[in-house]
Amino acid sequence: MELKQIVISTAYITLGQVLKEVGIIDTGGMAKWYLAEHTVYVNGEDENRRGKKLVAGDVLTTADGTEYEIVAN
């Protein structure tokens, strides 16, 4: 499967922001619900904190198996 890239221009992006950025959720407030109902992995480990800071090099795997890599601008 292709590894999609999310380019950031800051030091980090939160998990909730990534879910909104890629269109999985519509608002930041939905992140808590989504993470409670779906399994999301960050670097291969189950993650359910919407405020988890993701930095360049981190890989996020969503519930449908799509993988996203965080890349610095």
Side-chain angles (χ1 to χ4, degrees):
M1 178 176 282
E2 179 184 345
L3 190 65
K4 298 181 180 182
Q5 293 187 337
I6 299 172
V7 179
I8 59 172
S9 57
T10 56
Y12 66 87
I13 186 169
T14 66
L15 179 54
Q17 289 171 321
V18 171
L19 295 175
K20 186 176 175 187
E21 177 79 21
V22 300
I24 292 174
I25 59 174
D26 294 325
T27 65
M30 294 177 68
K32 186 175 183 178
W33 164 81
Y34 182 85
L35 293 170
E37 298 290 323
H38 300 87
T39 303
V40 174
Y41 296 97
V42 174
N43 298 327
E45 295 186 17
D46 188 3
E47 184 58 67
N48 60 7
R49 297 173 293 166
R50 66 182 177 188
K52 169 70 175 168
K53 295 178 181 178
L54 305 178
V55 297
D58 284 345
V59 176
L60 169 74
T61 307
T62 58
D64 66 0
T66 305
E67 292 186 329
Y68 299 92
E69 180 181 16
I70 308 301
V71 179
N73 183 4

